[in-house]
């Protein structure tokens, strides 16, 4: 990294300025040769131990693939990964969505976003989003739908939507006023809210348990949750990119 | 059959070496921008590796989240780390301190 130019009036004291120039952004001090050799040996030992552990794993690896395949019919989808993520192990996915919301709250609590209006796009970025954004939204919808029987799903589709947001932000486009405060927050928690609500309703059914979808309605429920999750993931990832409260 | 298997080995070996080399370059690069770009390339090659392992779901997620969104986030963080030089921006706000420690 090049040493940044300190502008006059940037608020730095000359003394700390000198210390910063000599202390940071230099390569770290080289270790003495003996320490380097010892470090290399220790790392090699660690690598050997890890390699031995991997090689000593049972073949074929024990797993729940057979159990998943056996009850795939009850999951409402025909792709085993989606069945595990949204049905058999719904808790994991729900908590992943919560982690994303928490990450957004953490980012928002640190400071304000720079806003996208300050980005001055070049000719490519001015034109490209108009062509790419609709296509990416279409592909996101396709990935969501195809997740029921082939690789795809809410996280892939959501990150594509997040990419649309990042692209639009980089090209200097901003959200319309109606989309900013409440709607942005509602969209960010929509995935967690819908997932929790439907999971609770499933628990209240006779003989039901939390996040235990009745096989007849499983497909509809999973698609509803994935739709909400996709929107939330897209909004959260794009909002994380702007780096602060809107 | 043997030829195909040899091709598979060559492809997998190339991917594995490329992955390790990109990881090393990304970690060892003193220039942060170059390190981030190498990290994005690393994510793309890792997505290919996942696809070779028949884990297409993971490959899609790695490509979209690991390489794409994380790369964009790292670049955004990099812009915030460095005082803006050129680029016609005026975002050196009052009260924002750029620390390089």
């Amino acid at each position: 990294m090049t040493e940044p130019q300190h502008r006059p009036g940037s608020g730095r004291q000359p003394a700390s300025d000198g210390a910063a120039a000599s202390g940071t952004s230099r390569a770290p001090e080289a270790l003495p040769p003996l320490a380097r050799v010892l470090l290399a040996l220790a790392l090699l030992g660690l690598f050997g131990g890890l390699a031995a552990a991997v090689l000593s794993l049972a073949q074929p690896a024990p797993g729940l693939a057979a159990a998943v395949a056996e009850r795939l019919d009850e999951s409402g989808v025909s792709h085993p990964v989606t069945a595990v993520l949204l049905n058999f192990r719904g808790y994991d996915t729900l908590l992943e969505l919560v982690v994303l919301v928490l990450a957004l709250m953490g980012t928002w609590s640190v400071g304000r976003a720079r806003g996208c209006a300050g980005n001055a796009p070049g000719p490519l970025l001015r034109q490209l989003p108009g062509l790419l954004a609709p296509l990416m939204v279409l592909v996101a919808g396709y990935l969501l739908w195809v997740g029921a029987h082939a690789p795809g799903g809410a996280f892939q589709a959501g990150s594509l939507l997040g990419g649309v947001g990042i692209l639009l932000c980089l090209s200097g486009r901003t959200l319309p006023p109606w989309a900013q405060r409440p709607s942005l927050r509602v969209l960010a928690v929509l995935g967690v809210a819908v997932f929790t609500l439907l999971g609770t309703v499933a628990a209240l059914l006779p003989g039901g348990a939390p996040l235990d979808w009745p096989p007849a309605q499983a497909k509809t429920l999973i698609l509803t949750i994935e739709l909400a999750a996709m929107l939330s993931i897209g909004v959260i990832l794009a909002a994380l990119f702007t780096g602060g409260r809107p | 059959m043997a030829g195909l298997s040899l091709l598979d080995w060559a492809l997998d070996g190339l991917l594995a070496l490329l992955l390790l080399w990109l990881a090393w370059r990304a970690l060892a690069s003193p220039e942060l921008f170059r390190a981030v770009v190498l990290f994005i390339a690393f994510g793309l090659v890792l997505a290919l590796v996942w696809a070779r392992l028949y884990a297409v779901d993971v490959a899609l997620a790695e490509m979209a989240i690991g390489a794409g969104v994380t790369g964009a986030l790292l670049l955004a963080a990099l812009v915030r780390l460095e005082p803006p030089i050129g680029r016609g921006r005026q975002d050196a706000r009052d009260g924002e301190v750029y620390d390089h420690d």
Side-chain angles (χ1 to χ4, degrees), chain B residues 58-76:
Chain B
V58 189
L60 278 174
E62 172 65 38
M63 196 168 294
I65 302 177
V69 177
T70 313
L73 282 179
L74 285 174
L75 285 177

Side-chain angles (χ1 to χ4, degrees), chain A residues 1 7 12 79 114 156 159, chain B residues 30 57 64 80 84 91 98 101:
Chain A
M1 191 168 78
R7 297 176 182 169
R12 287 232 188 200
H79 186 50
R114 309 197 135 188
Q156 289 88 341
S159 58
Chain B
D57 285 272
R80 289 212 152 190
D91 40 9
Y98 295 103
D101 298 324

